[in-house]
Amino acid sequence: MTQIADIIAAIAEEMRIAAERGTVASYIPPLARVDLGRFGMAVIDADGHCHIVGDADEPFSIQSVSKVFSFSMALNAMGEEIWARVRQEPSGSPFNSIVQLESEFGIPRNPFINAGAIVVDDILVARYGKDGAQKRLLDFLRSLVSAPDAIQMDRDVARQEKETGFRNIALANYMRTFGNIRNPVEDTLDFYFHQCALTMSCRQLAEVGTYLMMEGRNPRTKEQVVTPRHAQTVLALMMMCGHYDGSGAFAIRVGLPGKSGVGGGILAVAPGIASIAVWSPGLNAQGNSLLGTRALERLVQQTGWSVFRPSY
């Protein structure tokens, strides 16, 4: 895998000198202060080899990348019954849009837009309680990494998410009118804001993502974290919906299941081959990491890992 180390080193150098870097998310104060010059990337292959470059050990706010993990937990909890409360389709709208909820009776298009993730969190709060859901999510993530204490929820970020999260509050209350939020709105949103405030490094995020690379199995412990069918479901939704209204373009450019967050992180998975995390805080117009997307495109061009290649 020396070749992978060389490839990502060259990618990191290209990203280092890139003039166009996007814009940081300004509506969440801690994210607005992150240095646009940061770039990190980690690749973990199916044999457990890890290659990192740049700021891959720097913790950052993973934001909506966390929706992959809460959704995995909800699938474990509910199985196919989850589709009565959240659909499986691309939205074609911004991640925080309220437009489709009225015509679709409060059922979000997919679990990766904000409304869908709030419903997923409502399911977990109903099963485990507000504090229990936070603990379960942290336990789930920490079970997948070699340094579990490094994964934290940033309470200050969560507080500021709550103070500025007017649209998410509106989404939750609107869905409550349709009966699709069943706990006290404050409890569900408290969990949602804390989930989005999870911090990880690229190394940790890639390590967490290995269960999706290995058909739902933790490659370190051999534990079946989710069923192979549920892992396939998560990956399919990452491919179709993981980059909001930029998901189609990401599928064409990169060709891997991926999930972005407004903190500038992206988790991408080449099933059976590699789990990849990249972080660059500058975002494009759709709220996805500009250089992170470009770096993943370069990686796939060099490795041929796109799931749409005949030789994959």
Side-chain angles (χ1 to χ4, degrees), residues 45-88:
D45 67 24
D47 295 322
H49 299 117
C50 180
H51 301 281
I52 65 169
V53 289
D55 300 307
D57 282 322
E58 179 74 19
F60 64 92
S61 186
I62 70 168
Q63 294 290 313
S64 287
V65 181
S66 65
K67 295 171 183 175
V68 169
F69 313 125
S70 57
F71 177 56
S72 295
M73 290 174 58
L75 276 176
N76 277 349
M78 286 192 72
E80 297 296 311
E81 293 178 15
I82 198 170
W83 306 126
R85 296 187 61 186
V86 61
R87 304 195 196 282
Q88 311 167 37

Side-chain angles (χ1 to χ4, degrees), residues 279-300:
W279 172 52
S280 178
L283 309 179
N284 62 18
Q286 288 75 40
N288 305 310
S289 176
L290 179 69
L291 293 187
T293 301
R294 190 176 300 170
L296 288 166
E297 183 178 17
R298 298 288 190 272
L299 179 67
V300 168

Side-chain angles (χ1 to χ4, degrees), residues 138-149:
L138 278 170
D139 288 346
F140 176 81
L141 298 171
R142 288 169 174 171
S143 72
L144 292 160
V145 298
S146 53
D149 291 341

Side-chain angles (χ1 to χ4, degrees), residues 71 75 79-91 104 107-112 229 233 236-241:
F71 177 56
L75 276 176
E80 297 296 311
E81 293 178 15
I82 198 170
W83 306 126
R85 296 187 61 186
V86 61
R87 304 195 196 282
Q88 311 167 37
E89 303 299 332
S91 69
E104 298 181 4
I107 300 177
R109 280 285 180 96
N110 65 72
F112 294 154
R229 174 61 177 170
T233 298
L237 283 166
M238 288 171 71
M239 178 67 84
M240 294 187 295
C241 313

Side-chain angles (χ1 to χ4, degrees), residues 41-52 56-57 60 62 65 68-69 140-151 200-214 216-221 223 225 266-269 274-278:
M41 192 172 194
V43 179
I44 299 179
D45 67 24
D47 295 322
H49 299 117
C50 180
H51 301 281
I52 65 169
D57 282 322
F60 64 92
I62 70 168
V65 181
V68 169
F69 313 125
F140 176 81
L141 298 171
R142 288 169 174 171
S143 72
L144 292 160
V145 298
S146 53
D149 291 341
I151 296 178
M200 296 186 203
S201 66
C202 289
R203 185 196 297 266
Q204 292 154 359
L205 184 55
E207 197 172 3
V208 169
T210 55
Y211 78 97
L212 294 170
M213 171 182 65
M214 301 300 288
R217 180 169 50 85
N218 182 337
R220 287 192 312 107
T221 65
E223 175 191 4
V225 178
I266 302 175
L267 172 67
V269 179
S275 175
I276 309 142
V278 62

